[in-house]
């Protein structure tokens, strides 16, 4: 078995950055009273009104049961409405309510502030390079699967 020091493992550094990003966004989203998974769902619903729970789960990178829990919570809070699809009665379409749109605007402003603060840590050239490098990481890992 070949050992590799933790500090040399790219995955450890990616995970640490992801954890820090999620913690920063969770803290920022407290003002909107939503979690990162709830915000992610609201964001995609605002971009794709009528999307199904399965479609949302794919876009948010979570399992369908996890997404159903997120959607149930959002629906109970009056942020979304779910109605049967016109042709596929067993598929529920999901849309933001007026209250959901208002929360989405507040949450998005908080999340964008975190993203902008992070972006300011890098020059434009560094940001482009980081995005390309992370894309290469994702592509390589996707190919390996």
């Amino acid at each position: 078995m070949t050992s590799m020091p933790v500090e040399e493992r790219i995955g450890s550094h990616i995970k640490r950055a992801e954890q820090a990003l999620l913690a920063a966004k969770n803290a920022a989203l407290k003002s909107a009273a939503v979690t990162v998974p709830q915000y992610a769902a609201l964001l995609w619903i605002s971009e794709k009104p009528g999307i199904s729970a399965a479609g949302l789960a794919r876009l948010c990178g979570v399992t369908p049961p996890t997404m159903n829990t997120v959607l149930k919570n959002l629906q109970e809070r009056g942020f979304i409405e779910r109605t049967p699809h016109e042709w596929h009665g067993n598929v529920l379409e999901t849309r933001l309510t007026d209250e959901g749109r208002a929360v989405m605007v507040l949450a998005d402003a908080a999340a964008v502030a975190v993203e902008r603060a992070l972006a300011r840590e890098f020059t434009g050239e560094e940001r482009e390079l980081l995005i390309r490098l992370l894309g290469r990481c994702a592509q390589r890992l996707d190919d390996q699967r």
Side-chain angles (χ1 to χ4, degrees), residues 50-140:
I51 191 168
S52 68
L56 270 173
R58 280 189 296 279
L59 290 170
C60 293
V62 298
T63 64
T66 297
M67 183 50 65
N68 281 326
T69 300
V70 169
L71 292 176
K72 182 176 182 233
N73 183 281
L74 292 173
Q75 189 170 16
E76 287 172 356
R77 295 176 68 191
F79 297 161
I80 62 168
E81 59 186 9
R82 301 181 76 197
T83 55
H85 187 277
E86 185 179 345
W87 304 301
H88 308 287
N90 59 332
V91 173
L92 293 177
E93 294 184 321
T94 308
R95 288 185 171 73
L96 296 179
T97 61
D98 289 342
E99 189 176 352
R101 272 186 285 285
V103 167
M104 175 55 207
V105 167
L106 184 62
D108 198 44
V112 167
V114 171
E115 292 284 351
R116 286 196 173 130
L118 178 58
R120 283 193 300 272
E121 290 297 312
F122 303 95
T123 66
E125 190 175 288
E126 287 173 329
R127 279 192 304 276
E128 289 175 19
L129 177 59
L130 180 58
I131 290 167
R132 281 198 317 272
L133 292 173
L134 290 170
R136 270 181 35 206
C137 288
Q139 186 62 57
R140 174 65 180 97

Side-chain angles (χ1 to χ4, degrees), residues 13-27:
H13 296 282
I14 292 172
K15 183 67 175 175
R16 172 69 184 105
E18 179 191 34
Q19 289 170 330
L21 177 62
L22 289 174
K25 281 191 177 178
N26 266 320

